[in-house]
Amino acid sequence: MKTLKIAIQKSGRLNEKSVELLKNCGLNFENYKSSLISPVSNFPLEILFLRDDDIPEYVQDGIADLGIVGENVIEETEVEVNYLQRLGFGKCSLKIAVPNNNTINELSQLNGRSIATTYPVILGKFLKAQGIQSDIRTISGSVEISPGLGLADAICDLVSTGGTLKSNGLIPFADVMSSEAILICNNKNGDSELIKELVQRIQSVLRAKETKYVVLNVPKDNLPAIIALLPGVKSPSVVPLAESDWVAVHTVIPERDFWDRISQLKQAGAQGIVVMPIEKIIL
Ligand code: ATP
Ligand code: MG
């Protein structure tokens, strides 16, 4: 059987979460910082640890079959690859920011101004679509200090919390793109059985992350009101308790509206609520 190769970031913001995701899929491999390639002992897969900038091209050229990389890097390198799965981590936005003492407050005011960035391709397309002509200054790092040095009037850089911008006296001004880590594959091999198996494992881990397993005790009379509040994977399981007019309800609740649901359940008579993380959900 052919051994697949998946390229992930060697070190940096996506490394830890990429390794964690693959380990949660039950893949067994050593994560030596010094090695470039690590075989998986229980799946026909090898892990390549690379600079993130190189991942899209490695996948496009078939040197790696799969890759985990930020959408921003894929767009900037303009490669032809298949998007298999959005992974929900490494979330950030590419934003244009200006010094906070600046009078620029609409996009058209960027006409004729200079913007420093490490993302000239994405920024160029964005400005063209907006009909704006700016001078794009491509630099390789520390973009946020360029207005202070007099190198540019504005910057276009990745932002997650906005802390770096703020500490450099910059305010975000326009959103160029939002990004997260994506699982990509080479255009030719998206329907390989091994890739499908791996994607299914990844999806079962992601699904589990979005949900919690909840067990709660309810007086039997309150059961219809409680069940009406529960979405569940199918319908909730109801288990009898030693005390005959009480039951335990087992269900799965989406993480995003978790606290709202819990307070509604308490109001409807639920007690002794136990919440547990879920490892995998296989549909
Ligand atoms: P490499 O050494 O692999 O080239 P890098 O320095 O280019 O790494 P990192 O800073 O580790 O890259 O960021 C990797 C990815 O993490 C980015 O391309 C982006 O998709 C994502 N990311 C999430 N939040 C941020 C942020 N605040 N700033 C930069 N990147 C972010
Ligand atoms: Mg990089």
Side-chain angles (χ1 to χ4, degrees), residues 16 19 28 37 50 65-66 68 80 92 96 105 145 149 164 167 201:
E16 209 174 295
V19 168
N28 203 348
I37 187 158
L50 302 174
D65 305 281
L66 298 152
I68 295 180
E80 303 260 326
C92 56
I96 297 175
N105 50 29
I145 61 169
L149 295 176
T164 311
S167 61
R201 288 198 195 189

Side-chain angles (χ1 to χ4, degrees), residues 97-104 147 153 165-172:
V98 291
N100 54 19
N101 57 4
N102 204 292
T103 54
I104 297 177
D153 300 309
L165 287 185
K166 206 170 175 191
S167 61
N168 284 284
L170 297 164
I171 43 168

Side-chain angles (χ1 to χ4, degrees), residues 32 40 49-50 58 78 96-97 107-108 113 115 120 123 129 135 140 155 186 200 204 215 224 244 261 266 282:
Y32 296 127
V40 173
F49 296 94
L50 302 174
Y58 269 56
E78 294 186 295
I96 297 175
L107 274 176
S108 62
R113 310 274 188 133
I115 310 176
L123 176 62
D135 172 17
S140 60
I155 67 158
N186 179 279
Q200 271 173 20
S204 75
V215 178
S244 64
R261 294 256 184 206
K266 275 166 82 176
I282 296 143

Side-chain angles (χ1 to χ4, degrees), residues 250-272:
H250 292 230
T251 193
V252 169
I253 290 185
E255 171 94 81
R256 71 193 120 76
D257 51 17
F258 179 74
W259 287 109
D260 288 345
R261 294 256 184 206
I262 294 292
S263 62
Q264 287 168 352
L265 289 166
K266 275 166 82 176
Q267 276 167 18
Q271 290 183 16

Side-chain angles (χ1 to χ4, degrees), residues 7-256:
I8 67 171
Q9 195 188 22
K10 185 172 172 63
S11 62
R13 291 174 199 263
L14 301 183
N15 166 268
E16 209 174 295
K17 290 270 172 65
S18 305
V19 168
E20 184 187 301
L21 176 65
L22 296 177
K23 295 229 158 171
N24 287 342
C25 288
L27 302 176
N28 203 348
F29 59 93
E30 300 285 352
N31 183 24
Y32 296 127
K33 288 277 170 229
S34 56
S35 69
L36 178 68
I37 187 158
S38 187
V40 173
S41 65
N42 56 355
F43 197 84
L45 181 70
E46 283 173 342
I47 308 197
L48 306 183
F49 296 94
L50 302 174
R51 289 282 311 268
D52 70 346
D53 316 62
D54 297 332
I55 294 176
E57 275 174 28
Y58 269 56
V59 173
Q60 174 184 255
D61 298 347
I63 296 160
D65 305 281
L66 298 152
I68 295 180
V69 68
E71 195 174 4
N72 51 301
V73 181
I74 309 169
E75 295 280 314
E76 186 62 27
T77 43
E78 294 186 295
V79 290
E80 303 260 326
V81 291
N82 276 352
Y83 280 35
L84 286 177
Q85 180 66 46
R86 308 186 80 80
L87 298 173
F89 62 84
K91 286 193 174 171
C92 56
S93 317
L94 188 63
K95 289 182 195 266
I96 297 175
V98 291
N100 54 19
N101 57 4
N102 204 292
T103 54
I104 297 177
N105 50 29
E106 52 182 278
L107 274 176
S108 62
Q109 290 174 292
L110 291 171
N111 261 316
R113 310 274 188 133
S114 57
I115 310 176
T117 189
T118 51
Y119 292 92
V121 173
I122 302 175
L123 176 62
K125 285 183 184 162
F126 172 81
L127 293 175
K128 194 170 175 207
Q130 303 285 332
I132 291 163
Q133 288 195 322
S134 306
D135 172 17
I136 298 177
R137 306 240 159 117
T138 306
I139 56 176
S140 60
S142 306
V143 173
E144 62 285 350
I145 61 169
S146 49
L149 295 176
L151 190 70
D153 300 309
I155 67 158
C156 175
D157 203 8
L158 291 173
V159 180
S160 43
T161 60
T164 311
L165 287 185
K166 206 170 175 191
S167 61
N168 284 284
L170 297 164
I171 43 168
F173 166 68
D175 284 335
V176 175
M177 84 172 276
S178 54
S179 179
E180 66 184 282
I182 312 259
L183 176 72
I184 52 172
C185 78
N186 179 279
N187 273 348
K188 290 190 207 78
N189 60 10
D191 51 357
S192 122
E193 287 306 313
L194 269 183
I195 291 184
K196 280 187 191 154
E197 161 73 24
L198 196 60
V199 171
Q200 271 173 20
R201 288 198 195 189
I202 288 176
Q203 286 172 342
S204 75
V205 171
L206 296 176
R207 233 177 262 129
K209 260 212 177 124
E210 289 162 6
T211 46
K212 298 275 183 231
Y213 192 87
V214 179
V215 178
L216 36 94
N217 294 337
V218 192
K220 264 187 184 158
D221 292 346
N222 299 36
L223 195 54
I226 295 282
I227 288 178
L229 289 170
L230 296 175
V233 169
K234 271 206 181 119
S235 58
S237 315
V238 179
V239 182
L241 291 181
E243 216 167 309
S244 64
D245 47 355
W246 283 74
V247 288
V249 176
H250 292 230
T251 193
V252 169
I253 290 185
E255 171 94 81
R256 71 193 120 76

